[in-house]
Amino acid sequence: MLQVPERYALFIDNEPVAPLSGDTLPVVDPSDGSTFAQMGRGGGADVDRAVRAARRAFDGSGTEPAAGPWGRLDAVDRGRLLRRWADLIDANREALARIESRDTGKPLGQARADAQALARYFEFYAGATDKLHGQTIPYRHGYTVLTLREPHGVTGHIVPWNYPMQIFGRSVGAALAAGNACVVKPAEDACLSLLEVARLAAEAGFPPGALNIVTGLGGEAGQALAGHPGIDHISFTGSPDTGRRVAQAAATHHCPVTLELGGKSPQLVFADADLEAALPVLVNAIVQNAGQTCSAGSRVLIEAPVYRRVLEMLAGRFAALRVGPGRDDLDLGPLVSQRQQQRVQDFLSQAHADRLEFAAQGTVVEHAPAGGFYQAPVLVAGVPPAHRLAQEEVFGPVLAATPFDDEAQAVAIANGTRYGLVAGIWTRDGARQLRLARQLRAGQVFVNNYGAGGGVELPFGGVGSSGYGREKGFEALYAFTSLKTVALRHG
Ligand code: NDP
């Protein structure tokens, strides 16, 4: 059984190591605001140490590339290690979920689902390592041309606090499967589960340096990782502004970047939709993880003839939602931090000042500790498409409802933000389903569902300010490799 130690170190070369500065940061429990552990405050020198460890694992000390203990491992053996790791995660699922719930505030049931998804990512990528191959290309007479898919080398992963295990799984799972050695910078607000998961990697038998974790602040360890010349690819999930900074830092040494930057994702509800089926999904899409989800369905666009009816149905469900400590496993836990709570309250204050209609809100349970970062879920109606609440990512449990008159207006409103991550369509009209799936500006479109259960197999990523590049599924494996063309002239 995993325990929560009071002091968490960095994880480099399969060992817990203190940051070179010796500095630590408090780990705060969002359910009551108390500090319950300390984590290492890694800096640039620690990142450098981790990158060197990863480079040794990948390249070894010789001059031949990819000759290190990790770099020369056969694809099938990489898969076996990932599979063993997945099994260990599965065996420790409950303990990981409890740590995650305490660290991030999320309800236990949702933390359990995250741990399960993490194991599933590794299971999926374990089976893919020996199926990732190049092609032969028909070319001129006398030539044979083939392509090789090669790992980048050392990859950097900057992980946010909302789904640490899942985002780590989709990014690090694919990178390791493709043969890269990894350096990970978790979010300051959520790093404990990943340190435990790294320890399980060592137990599974990954060679030292294949996976390294440097905890610390974004502006210190994160910035150092993004700009480190020894990093060959960066994968970042977080806000558009930080994403821009990461891409700029990586550009200094022409390092490729995958950016997943959140969204303002709409669900379009037409009058002919199966409303009973849609309702729980519409609510869950904004309530899950207290709305701190990049793909949260934070806008609901409703066709005018059913607008009031859908609003009433939604209001009924919102009023029944309960918020409390993660260990109580209610509909919502606290938000991750006081900063995030303040951000959500600022959005709501502005909506209030602008006299938007607060159609319903849930309840924070009475026994929730006073120092916790609780926020009742709120349904705001009649939100004009240009309003800040319909344009910007709140990253909290706030659903903005807006009516529309016809399909063309629905598409214009749906596409009318700088984001383009996910969209949902609710209609029984088959032609409309396909038409809108093509017209909506998003990386994923769901018809008569939202998220399809999260499937690790489904490529994920956005357009516009939602970022670029794709994670999950086989697409991620392509992103974590570079393609080499080899042309042989043999006559
Ligand atoms: P950030 O984008 O700042 O943080 C995401 C990750 O980047 C964290 O690991 C963070 O570390 C790290 N980071 C921060 N600054 C830098 C930097 N200069 N260089 C490299 N890495 C850095 O998000 P915030 O946590 O500040 O949240 C603000 C808003 O961003 C949220 O309200 C939400 O709207 C959005 N967001 C979106 C996410 C998504 O999944 N799309 C996830 C998280 C946030 P650290 O936390 O230690 O500072």
Side-chain angles (χ1 to χ4, degrees):
M1 191 68 168
L2 299 174
Q3 302 290 331
V4 178
E6 285 179 359
R7 219 176 167 82
Y8 274 85
L10 319 181
F11 186 85
I12 298 175
D13 261 337
N14 276 0
E15 297 288 342
V17 293
L20 291 167
S21 67
D23 292 346
T24 59
L25 293 164
V27 180
V28 174
D29 180 343
S31 75
D32 59 11
S34 67
T35 295
F36 66 97
Q38 297 286 324
M39 59 184 253
R41 179 174 176 171
D46 299 296
V47 167
D48 191 51
R49 199 158 47 141
V51 172
R52 284 174 199 278
R55 180 62 62 192
R56 275 194 305 277
F58 184 72
D59 276 337
S61 48
T63 46
E64 192 191 336
W70 176 246
R72 64 167 182 264
L73 209 62
D74 288 343
V76 66
D77 291 326
R78 290 202 304 272
R80 286 179 181 136
L81 282 177
L82 276 162
R83 181 66 222 209
R84 216 173 292 149
W85 197 13
D87 290 343
L88 282 171
I89 285 158
D90 211 34
N92 288 280
R93 203 164 69 197
E94 184 61 22
L96 287 169
R98 285 184 184 274
I99 290 171
E100 191 76 307
S101 174
R102 179 130 195 235
D103 197 11
T104 65
K106 66 175 69 189
L108 258 178
Q110 294 178 31
R112 286 188 187 112
D114 286 1
Q116 192 169 7
L118 171 64
R120 175 72 190 114
Y121 274 114
F122 293 159
E123 181 186 49
F124 176 83
Y125 286 117
T129 54
D130 54 356
K131 294 156 195 81
L132 180 65
H133 41 66
Q135 296 178 319
T136 54
I137 298 174
Y139 192 56
R140 292 181 195 162
H141 177 76
Y143 283 85
T144 295
V145 180
L146 51 102
T147 58
L148 304 174
R149 284 216 166 264
E150 299 181 332
H152 293 298
V154 177
T155 52
H157 305 260
I158 299 176
V159 179
W161 42 261
N162 53 342
Y163 289 89
M165 288 195 275
Q166 290 214 38
I167 293 170
F168 175 92
R170 77 184 187 206
S171 145
V172 170
L176 288 171
N180 302 281
C182 302
V183 180
V184 180
K185 154 64 183 94
E188 168 201 352
D189 289 325
C191 63
L192 303 193
S193 61
L194 299 191
L195 291 165
E196 296 296 352
V197 166
R199 204 180 54 71
L200 294 175
E203 197 177 322
F206 279 82
L211 170 67
N212 309 276
I213 304 216
V214 181
T215 58
L217 298 174
E220 297 175 0
Q223 188 74 31
L225 183 60
H228 196 292
I231 292 289
D232 302 312
H233 180 280
I234 283 274
S235 145
F236 170 84
T237 303
S239 63
D241 285 348
T242 306
R244 187 182 305 112
R245 274 200 292 281
V246 166
Q248 283 168 344
T252 56
H253 61 285
H254 306 112
C255 173
V257 178
T258 301
L259 296 179
E260 200 274 89
L261 308 176
K264 193 71 204 177
S265 299
Q267 299 215 55
L268 285 59
V269 182
F270 287 86
D272 69 343
D274 179 345
L275 298 181
E276 292 299 332
L279 254 286
V281 180
L282 294 175
V283 174
N284 187 55
I286 187 64
V287 160
Q288 186 179 308
N289 206 31
Q292 303 165 118
T293 304
C294 40
S295 53
S298 52
R299 293 187 290 156
V300 57
L301 313 182
I302 308 166
E303 198 169 12
V306 291
Y307 178 66
R308 277 289 147 196
R309 194 165 136 225
V310 172
L311 211 54
E312 274 166 29
M313 291 165 88
L314 282 171
R317 285 180 178 262
F318 263 69
L321 293 168
R322 296 197 314 145
V323 190
R327 59 184 170 272
D328 289 3
D329 207 11
L330 303 176
D331 302 301
L332 294 85
L335 299 176
V336 75
S337 62
Q338 198 165 29
R339 190 167 66 110
Q340 199 58 26
Q341 186 187 35
Q342 189 59 51
R343 176 186 168 96
V344 176
Q345 285 173 1
D346 288 349
F347 272 95
L348 290 173
S349 303
Q350 186 174 349
H352 193 67
D354 293 341
R355 297 177 185 281
L356 297 188
E357 177 188 345
F358 281 53
Q361 88 170 46
T363 314
V364 178
V365 293
E366 261 177 36
H367 66 269
F373 312 131
Y374 299 98
Q375 170 62 55
V378 183
L379 171 64
V380 186
V383 180
H387 193 274
R388 189 173 168 231
L389 206 54
Q391 289 291 324
E392 290 180 33
E393 189 173 48
V394 177
F395 230 58
V398 182
L399 179 59
T402 303
F404 67 83
D405 291 325
D406 57 28
E407 198 178 296
Q409 192 187 23
V411 172
I413 297 173
N415 288 346
T417 75
R418 64 180 174 142
Y419 291 107
L421 191 60
V422 173
I425 306 165
W426 293 90
T427 177
R428 289 186 166 99
D429 180 335
R432 177 189 278 155
Q433 292 168 357
L434 285 174
R435 202 163 45 239
L436 292 194
R438 286 173 179 272
Q439 289 176 5
L440 290 173
R441 197 166 158 270
Q444 285 188 328
V445 176
F446 297 101
V447 179
N448 293 334
N449 79 95
Y450 194 77
V456 306
E457 306 87 343
L458 314 181
F460 179 68
V463 298
S465 289
S466 290
Y468 47 80
R470 293 293 176 265
E471 294 195 312
K472 303 176 65 169
F474 249 74
E475 287 300 323
L477 290 172
Y478 300 143
F480 284 112
T481 53
S482 82
L483 197 68
K484 181 183 280 176
T485 304
V486 181
L488 290 84
R489 185 168 182 199
H490 40 66

